[in-house]
Amino acid sequence: TAGQINDIFDIGVNYSGSFGTTDVVLSARYGTGDIQGGAVTSDPETWGVGANVTFGQFGVAASYGEDKNANGSLALATEADTEGYSFGVYYDPAGPWTFSLTTYQGEEEVNNVKTAEYSNYALMGRRNLGPGVNWDVYAIFTETDFTNNALDVEGTIIGTGIALGF
């Protein structure tokens, strides 16, 4: 069917190592596919890199990624590209709690014209309740600025949840 993505290929690599009391995790991924006909002229492509460094009770994590023509805008017959980065710090003191502060900053272009900028900030606390069970509490502030009109969207989310790991 015209506009459908077929023949998808995606690959990722990961490195994890320790150097004394410092733990390092590095990762990268690449993906692509073929668009069958339609008004969009280029095939989707996505890639990203990330790093996480932990030293003692503190950690720093960062990532960057780009998504070319693969964000669901195919029905609009547009070529939409997004890119963004995230950065975060966390603290894991002795005891059941872990705390983190993260941000995501990104932008979108449609037909090579910047249409939106995204800013997200999250503050989170996680309490370990037992093996594979965590309780999360968080506050998130999110903002989207659309560059081609006066519409800006802001929101604040306060929530809690239970995370189960098997």
Side-chain angles (χ1 to χ4, degrees):
T1 304
Q4 295 296 310
I5 301 172
N6 295 318
D7 301 326
I8 297 170
F9 172 78
D10 204 290
I11 189 167
V13 295
N14 189 56
Y15 167 79
S16 179
S18 294
F19 307 95
T21 60
T22 302
D23 296 326
V24 176
V25 177
L26 304 173
S27 60
R29 98 172 259 249
Y30 173 80
T32 188
D34 293 326
I35 292 183
Q36 304 301 307
V40 178
T41 60
S42 64
D43 291 329
E45 182 177 67
T46 186
W47 68 271
V49 293
N52 185 348
V53 179
T54 304
F55 39 95
Q57 297 172 313
F58 296 92
V60 177
S63 66
Y64 177 83
E66 292 185 5
D67 193 9
K68 301 292 184 188
N69 196 31
N71 69 348
S73 297
L74 299 176
L76 302 175
T78 60
E79 296 195 18
D81 303 332
T82 59
E83 66 179 74
Y85 69 89
S86 63
F87 179 78
V89 294
Y90 55 94
Y91 174 58
D92 188 4
W97 284 95
T98 302
F99 304 96
S100 65
L101 178 62
T102 59
T103 184
Y104 170 79
Q105 306 293 315
E107 64 182 41
E108 178 184 67
E109 290 182 355
V110 175
N111 295 328
N112 297 316
V113 176
K114 186 161 112 177
T115 58
E117 291 184 5
Y118 308 103
S119 297
N120 299 293
Y121 305 92
L123 176 64
M124 185 172 132
R126 171 171 274 187
R127 181 179 171 89
N128 183 294
L129 300 177
V133 182
N134 293 301
W135 173 47
D136 298 337
V137 291
Y138 51 87
I140 300 169
F141 174 76
T142 183
E143 179 179 27
T144 301
D145 294 325
F146 294 96
T147 56
N148 58 356
N149 59 40
L151 179 65
D152 292 336
V153 178
E154 294 182 1
T156 301
I157 303 161
I158 297 175
T160 185
I162 298 289
L164 302 174
F166 301 97

